[in-house]
Structure formats: structure tokens, C-alpha cells
Amino acid sequence: MIKYGTLTFLPKNFELDKIYDNLLKPLPYFEIEKQNGGYFNSEKLKGKPTIINLWFTNCPTCIDEMPTLNSLKEKYGDKINTIAITFQDRGKVFLFNKIYKFDFEILINAKNYIDSLGINGYPKIILLDKNNIIRYIPFGIVAKDEKSSNFLLQEFNKQIEELLKE
């Protein structure tokens, strides 16, 4: 990947996740099991911007960005929805939560749904508008150095603020 200012050029053989084909389209409907029991469906997200985090417990980058995601949840409170979707089961997520704090609503056993989105790599963040339209999919919000991380987080916050104005 080559960066020039805010433009990013990807190598010719770089394959993007198929979810990028869905930018500015509605998020496909889902009904997924919640970590704490019951089910959650995507219709419940309408009315507020939403951060969806696709992750799994053995993903170091997923773990690295959790404090940042938690801070976004704290900053925006109930102005936005925050959900995390994993293909893993309740047991693995339960054990993980004994060690790491993750304040998002966690949805589990979602392998089929994640596969249907064409996700190739983790973590993946999807930002929806209040109508469940996919508006932004950053390449990440945490980087190896603090300056880059601050820039990525600032850009992501700008996207959220724009959606809150709509």
C-alpha cells in the first residue's frame, strides 16, 4: 500500500473484501445470537449511526483496537449503536471477556453472515448511517505508531460526526 496525503494506492494484486462492493448500499439484514442470550436483528439499528466491529478472540489487531472502540462508545454514548460480530461461540467469547473489556453488544456464531459479506481479514469496521446504509469502511482505526493512530481516529470521528448531523 502506498499513501500520498489522504490518498491510498493499493498494489495491483491486493484483493479487497467483497464488503467494499456494498458501500452506499443497505447492510444485508441479519438476525444473530447475542452473547448474553436471545437474538439481535439489524432492524434495531435504524435511527442512529452504527459502528459494527467484525472480530475474533485470537486476533491481535482486534484486541489492540478494543480500547479505542470502547472510547468511541463512551464518547458518543447512546447517540450511536455499537455492535461487535464474531464467528466464535459463547464459550470462547465468555472466556475472552474475563480478560479483556469490550463494551459493545457482542453477537456470536455469525460465520454464515460474515461469510456472506465476503470478509477476508480482521478486524473490520463498518460504519452505517441511521438508515442502515454502509457509509464508511476504514482500513483501520489503530496503527503501529501514535501519530498515525491519532490521524486514523480523527478521520473516523469526522465520519461519525457527519452522520450525526444528517
Side-chain angles (χ1 to χ4, degrees), residues 101-120:
K101 178 183 175 193
F102 197 16
D103 292 332
F104 279 37
E105 172 84 56
I106 299 176
L107 309 181
I108 59 172
N109 295 320
K111 182 177 181 350
N112 290 339
Y113 185 73
I114 293 169
D115 288 349
S116 76
L117 295 175
I119 302 299
N120 294 324

Side-chain angles (χ1 to χ4, degrees), residues 51 53 62 65-74 82 102 104 125 141 156:
I51 299 172
N53 177 247
C62 300
E65 73 179 14
M66 283 180 183
T68 301
L69 291 167
N70 287 337
S71 71
L72 288 168
K73 179 172 175 57
E74 184 177 332
T82 53
F102 197 16
F104 279 37
I125 295 175
I141 60 169
F156 193 66

Side-chain angles (χ1 to χ4, degrees), residues 30 32-34 40 83-86 105-109:
F30 66 76
I32 299 173
E33 187 177 359
K34 297 188 322 185
F40 187 97
I83 63 169
I85 302 175
T86 183
E105 172 84 56
I106 299 176
L107 309 181
I108 59 172
N109 295 320

Side-chain angles (χ1 to χ4, degrees), residues 22-146:
N22 291 318
L23 273 172
L24 303 179
K25 296 179 185 172
L27 179 74
Y29 176 83
F30 66 76
E31 187 168 340
I32 299 173
E33 187 177 359
K34 297 188 322 185
Q35 173 193 357
N36 296 326
Y39 285 83
F40 187 97
N41 74 59
S42 54
E43 291 299 309
K44 293 178 182 177
L45 301 173
K46 288 189 175 176
K48 297 180 194 178
T50 299
I51 299 172
I52 298 175
N53 177 247
L54 300 165
W55 70 290
F56 66 99
T57 62
N58 299 354
C59 167
T61 308
C62 300
I63 295 167
D64 288 347
E65 73 179 14
M66 283 180 183
T68 301
L69 291 167
N70 287 337
S71 71
L72 288 168
K73 179 172 175 57
E74 184 177 332
K75 176 180 179 177
Y76 291 105
D78 64 358
K79 293 179 187 174
I80 64 171
N81 300 306
T82 53
I83 63 169
I85 302 175
T86 183
F87 56 82
Q88 293 178 300
D89 64 31
R90 181 174 281 109
K92 285 193 188 245
V93 174
F94 177 78
L95 291 173
F96 178 85
N97 284 332
K98 287 186 165 282
I99 300 168
Y100 298 99
K101 178 183 175 193
F102 197 16
D103 292 332
F104 279 37
E105 172 84 56
I106 299 176
L107 309 181
I108 59 172
N109 295 320
K111 182 177 181 350
N112 290 339
Y113 185 73
I114 293 169
D115 288 349
S116 76
L117 295 175
I119 302 299
N120 294 324
Y122 294 88
K124 185 70 62 211
I125 295 175
I126 302 169
L127 185 59
L128 307 176
D129 68 16
K130 65 183 178 183
N131 298 310
N132 284 4
I133 304 298
I134 299 170
R135 296 290 292 274
Y136 185 56
I137 305 170
F139 284 107
I141 60 169
V142 175
K144 290 182 181 180
D145 65 276
E146 188 175 341

